Amino acid sequence: MSNHPQLATIRREGREEPVLVDGDRVVPVRSLDPGFAGTAYDVIRDGRFPRLAAAAADVPGVPAAEVAFTAPYRTPRKIWGIGLNYREHAADLSESAPDQPASFIKADHTIIGPDEPIVLPAQSERVTAEAELGLVIGKTCRDVEEADALDYVWGVTMILDQTAEDILQRNPRFLTRSKNFPTFFCFGPTLIPLAGVLGRFAALEDLVITTIRNGAEQRTNKVANMTHRPASLVSFHSKMMPLFPGDIISTGTPGALVVSDGDVVECVIEGVGALRATVRGAWA
């Protein structure tokens, strides 16, 4: 875990509120900025985070172990997902890694947070969960070059991306449907500023992503083994359409795991953080 303050959202007294996570304690944003009434999304969009982070050490907090984390925010303007971005995962599916990103968009109704249930839809008999590195955009970018792309990234997060794989296998044009059932995009529990990651790692390419099911490590790989690496993904998509603060790019998985009712799945990014969710059947 990074030593830099991180951004998150907790549920307290029946409502969600943004906080900074500073070590083993959380500091509500409203304690740092009493006039602020927005969400973590607004903290990113308005560029407030550096000032809040600088003040967090001097403000009383509460133990992180005593709060319930939720999704960091619920309404990004868009979520880009990237398919088949690790060569090994493409081979698992008898596919070749595409020479351009195999990207798709997910809607915000798919969002859940840590420890919220991933619900298996009645329309699918084969759902997979996929651990991924998420890139959080920090400022509007359009037509940026790869060399400048990370200047527009606010930070990273952990993601569990779900797919109704049997639906997708019927026809590749069913990708949008297979990716957009409710609860099919879990992220959090924290957003880690890019400086907090690069303070521990020389580059994002050094990060190792692992998908875990029921406590057993199943699939793991290093970002350096992506076909399309983070800066390339930001540049590529910015040349397609504007990327806005709070937009998320889910960069692809080292491997998908078929999940069943009662399974516990995790995304672990070594040295950065972990995300966990339980799978529940629609009939349960």
Side-chain angles (χ1 to χ4, degrees), residues 80-85 97-104 175 228 233 236-237:
W80 275 113
I82 314 299
L84 305 176
N85 201 22
D99 59 358
Q100 293 186 349
S103 53
F104 54 89
L175 177 60
H228 308 288
L233 291 172
F236 178 88
H237 289 87

Side-chain angles (χ1 to χ4, degrees), residues 52-84:
L52 297 174
D58 299 322
V59 175
V62 298
E66 296 180 5
V67 302
F69 289 93
T70 71
Y73 46 88
R74 303 281 180 175
T75 55
R77 292 187 64 169
K78 55 184 167 291
I79 301 166
W80 275 113
I82 314 299
L84 305 176

